[in-house]
């Protein structure tokens, strides 16, 4: 096991009927909230009204900043920063999925900053201070509710980059599985694919072979994400299934899976970010395409670990090829695309995608990932 | 899954050579430290000197309060409180195992309190404020390094009671597996038994049958505690084994295992506390006796869960009887006692032990545990 620091200060409030607690949790942090959300769904479901009431009941003034898209964009973040400054917001409230929480984090970092918020994503400047964030989660997927990362797309440059800083942990995140009952089957499966990919990035890229506690934990998470996703697809209102999927997705990227693994990397995300940046495909759908291809490409280097995952997760005989196929087959069974064609991306675009991904590989210091190598992996997305 | 709040603010610094970080971590919290430790071992090992230097280097003044015993006692806590007040300590530094950290927590709560510290343990008053705590851990066992609980024995009344309050989370705990290389085989095994018991209290007493993420996590922890303990017994300086045991023992009682399980209880600890209070047996050794007996007593009520644990942990066919025997056999193999006789406690004392345990059962509101029932369980400790 490698040396590590684990320090995750986010307070998780989990369960049925917990959304109104956003009121007191936010009131403890500020008096003027910028409320971030997506499109129409939280208006239709009544959640927006519930949150507005809870905030009003605790004396928190609210300015709204809706309209977050999936693959949230920099221009919308900048509008939010301007609004936060103009309204002197002292707390950011996110109500939605990972895109909404990521937008909230970018605004929280950008509003009090001197320089431009995008500089945090290109590592040109570091976050020095940030507004506090509270969140009500409506999608089991990204883990943003209990980590310090945010991913934003700069539409002008077609760069989908990330920023991580410990000031960006939400102070409180509220996770009510019932709020995910209305998530349609495709996005339920994409969320599961995202969570599985998070675990696999750590699982596959650590060079430490002696991390048995973490390996066991990660295998258990993947098993549970798969099993709970299947329950949710069979019955969207299966509370136990939604709850297990939600909690497992949170645990998949809250720092526990990677603690002690030493240097790890996110090469599958690095490649997927380009698919989202260039074609605006849902992140989880892009990952369902990239993950099996990356595993197939990786197979000669680490067949034992891939085989172990197949054994522990799918109950297969130890066989790396079968393990890759099993995961790809499972993604496909849940309705995820597993090829570039399934994402409606022409194979002729591979060099362009690889060039875009390579820009992120440089920022993330994934030195091994040359454009040629990325093209090779993308060539396996068929 | 039941509603829950998870909020664990402790910063864990894990790995080789991390002990000197106690200096800056403590200096960030206070200027006058009360340093708590046990007997001679940290003097002999040089750890005390290393910690004193690290504190001096960051300008923290130190008053020492050594002499913590296993099953730490109230009189020693009270002496520490008097010393903390006299010296105007503003931070408590614990260097040792769970007994030392528990003593530090009791002093941290008691020093600024108006009333008597024991009232926190009998629930007569609640902790209102506490001094901050930092810790360097030297034994993988209790989990006190990352939770808010403390267990102290009142020698005058022979009560071994507990107090839990969120102000008692250590701010920072430093976990260097190398510091456990010198832990002798018996205490290594007792520590493992303690950690297994922590997981089993949650695993066995939840009434929620639909908590698959947690069940999988808990089974993985028990598997890892067993496997890593065996590595440590085979080679006390096996870093990977010591690291896995240390991290698994921390995760066993940091709130994650119980999150979502609803009401759980600690009946095995309730009974063991009496063995420690009356006969001063090592806590883990007492648990190795009580746990198999409690499981055997519980068997008719929940054979399926006991059998599942045997299957997932020991790879057995689903059979509850075999599962109990396998755990008992494993405790025995590692050198733990598994009978009252093995602890040199006469069976004739069972009524006296049960009466003592029943006092704690009342404080913990374990209404089902009458003296007769506790006697019945103790009768199976043979």
């Amino acid at each position: 096991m490698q040396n590590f620091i684990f320090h995750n200060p986010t307070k998780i409030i989990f369960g049925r009927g917990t959304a109104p607690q956003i009121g007191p949790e936010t009131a403890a942090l500020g008096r003027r909230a910028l409320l971030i959300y997506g499109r129409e769904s939280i208006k239709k479901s009544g959640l927006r009204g519930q949150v507005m009431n809870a905030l009003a009941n605790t004396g928190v003034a609210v300015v709204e900043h809706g309209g977050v898209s999936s693959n949230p964009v920099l221009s919308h973040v900048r509008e939010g920063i301007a609004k936060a400054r103009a309204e002197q917001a002292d707390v950011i409230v996110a109500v939605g999925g990972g895109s909404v929480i990521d937008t909230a984090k970018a605004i929280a970092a950008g509003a009090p900053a001197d320089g431009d918020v995008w500089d945090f994503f290109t590592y040109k400047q570091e976050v020095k201070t940030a507004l506090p964030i509270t969140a009500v989660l409506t999608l089991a997927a990204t883990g943003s509710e209990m980590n310090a990362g945010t991913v934003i797309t700069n539409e002008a440059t077609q760069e989908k980059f990330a920023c991580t800083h410990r000031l960006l942990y939400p102070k409180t995140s509220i996770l009510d599985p019932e709020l995910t009952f209305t998530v349609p089957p495709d996005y339920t499966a994409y969320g599961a694919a995202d969570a599985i990919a998070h675990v696999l990035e750590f699982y596959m890229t650590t060079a430490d072979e002696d991390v048995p506690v973490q390996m066991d934990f990660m295998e258990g998470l993947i098993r549970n994400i798969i099993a709970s996703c299947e329950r949710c697809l069979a019955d969207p209102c299966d509370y136990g299934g939604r709850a297990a999927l939600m909690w497992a997705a949170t645990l998949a990227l809250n720092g526990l899976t990677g603690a002690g693994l030493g240097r790890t990397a996110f090469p599958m995300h690095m490649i997927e970010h380009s698919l989202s940046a260039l074609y605006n495909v849902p992140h989880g759908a892009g990952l369902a395409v990239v993950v099996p291809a990356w595993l197939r490409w990786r197979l000669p280097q680490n067949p034992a670990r891939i085989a172990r995952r197949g054994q522990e997760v799918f109950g297969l005989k130890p066989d790396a090829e079968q393990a890759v196929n099993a995961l790809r087959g499972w993604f496909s069974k849940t309705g995820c695309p597993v090829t570039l064609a399934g994402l409606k991306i022409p194979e002729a675009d591979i060099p362009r995608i690889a060039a875009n991904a390579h820009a992120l590989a440089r920022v993330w210091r994934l030195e091994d990932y040359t454009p040629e190598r990325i093209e090779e992996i993308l060539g396996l997305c068929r």
Side-chain angles (χ1 to χ4, degrees), chain A:
Chain A
M1 202 184 301
Q2 307 297 304
N3 286 16
F4 67 88
I5 293 175
F6 178 81
H7 188 199
N8 188 319
T10 300
K11 177 180 182 179
I12 297 292
I13 300 177
F14 191 104
R16 285 190 175 91
T18 48
Q21 294 186 46
I22 194 69
E25 293 296 319
T26 305
L29 299 164
R31 308 312 294 159
R32 298 179 65 80
L34 187 70
L35 177 64
I36 317 294
Y37 56 89
R39 309 280 182 186
E40 294 305 305
S41 67
I42 74 155
K43 291 187 184 168
K44 272 190 255 169
S45 71
L47 178 59
R48 175 177 157 279
Q50 210 182 354
V51 167
M52 296 285 276
N53 282 342
L55 292 169
N57 288 343
T58 48
V60 177
V62 176
V63 175
E64 295 183 69
H65 185 55
V68 176
S69 55
S70 78
N71 298 314
V73 292
L74 181 60
S75 59
H76 188 256
V77 166
R78 288 196 173 126
E79 287 165 26
I81 290 171
K83 218 181 264 188
R85 288 174 179 166
E87 302 288 343
Q88 297 184 292
D90 54 9
V91 58
I92 311 288
V93 180
V95 181
S99 299
V100 170
I101 300 175
D102 282 6
T103 297
K105 288 175 178 176
I107 294 171
D114 293 329
D116 181 59
V117 65
W118 190 245
D119 291 345
F120 297 135
F121 291 81
T122 54
Y123 301 172
K124 280 189 197 154
Q125 67 165 326
E126 207 195 323
V127 177
K128 293 281 192 313
T129 179
L131 297 178
I133 300 156
T134 58
V136 178
L137 184 67
T138 61
L139 183 69
T142 73
S144 189
E145 62 277 10
M146 201 184 181
N147 67 43
T150 163
V151 176
I152 297 292
T153 299
N154 182 336
E155 321 96 292
T157 58
Q158 292 189 310
E159 293 166 317
K160 182 177 178 177
F161 283 10
C163 162
T164 300
H165 193 281
R166 61 172 296 101
L167 288 169
L168 302 184
Y169 281 102
K171 300 293 182 196
T172 300
S173 285
I174 295 173
L175 280 59
D176 180 350
E178 288 189 341
L179 298 178
T180 66
F181 282 2
T182 51
V183 176
D186 52 356
Y187 273 81
T188 300
Y190 301 161
D194 191 16
I196 290 171
H198 290 153
V199 180
L200 283 178
E201 299 275 23
F202 292 110
Y203 191 89
M204 288 306 307
T205 68
T206 176
D208 195 326
E209 296 291 338
D210 192 10
V211 282
V213 178
Q214 294 88 334
M215 296 303 271
D216 224 334
F217 179 49
M218 290 190 281
E219 287 155 1
L221 285 179
I222 301 177
R223 273 195 302 272
N224 275 290
I225 294 163
I226 286 174
S228 58
C229 177
E230 290 180 358
R231 286 173 64 175
C232 300
L233 294 177
D235 173 5
C237 299
D238 174 348
Y239 183 85
R242 291 289 190 185
L245 184 58
M246 196 169 218
W247 188 222
T250 299
L251 293 172
L253 197 60
N254 75 344
L256 274 179
T257 44
L261 303 188
R263 198 189 165 190
T264 52
F266 268 54
M268 299 177 252
H269 278 71
M270 177 266 291
I271 297 173
E272 193 293 319
H273 280 199
S274 291
L275 304 183
S276 290
L278 297 171
Y279 307 95
N280 199 26
V281 301
H283 177 54
L287 283 167
V289 174
V290 172
V291 168
W294 185 90
L295 287 170
R296 176 150 295 140
W297 168 80
R298 180 78 167 193
L299 206 148
Q301 291 170 65
N302 204 339
R305 194 166 306 160
I306 295 174
R308 174 181 162 153
R309 200 254 312 144
Q311 201 173 6
E312 296 297 332
V313 173
F314 291 104
L316 299 170
K317 294 219 175 89
D319 180 294
E321 185 84 25
Q322 271 190 48
V324 175
N325 291 338
L327 185 61
R328 190 178 192 269
W330 186 80
F331 284 148
S332 187
K333 190 178 87 174
T334 62
C336 289
V338 290
T339 61
L340 288 180
L343 291 170
K344 302 199 170 59
I345 297 174
E347 290 201 17
D349 285 8
I350 284 179
R352 177 181 173 232
I353 302 167
N356 184 288
H358 186 243
L360 182 54
R362 279 200 309 265
V363 174
W364 286 2
R365 303 193 181 184
L366 298 172
E367 290 89 359
D368 293 348
Y369 288 84
T370 58
E372 296 70 34
R373 182 160 285 176
I374 299 170
E375 283 190 38
E376 191 187 332
I377 297 165
L378 285 164
L380 297 169
C381 295
R382 59 165 70 180

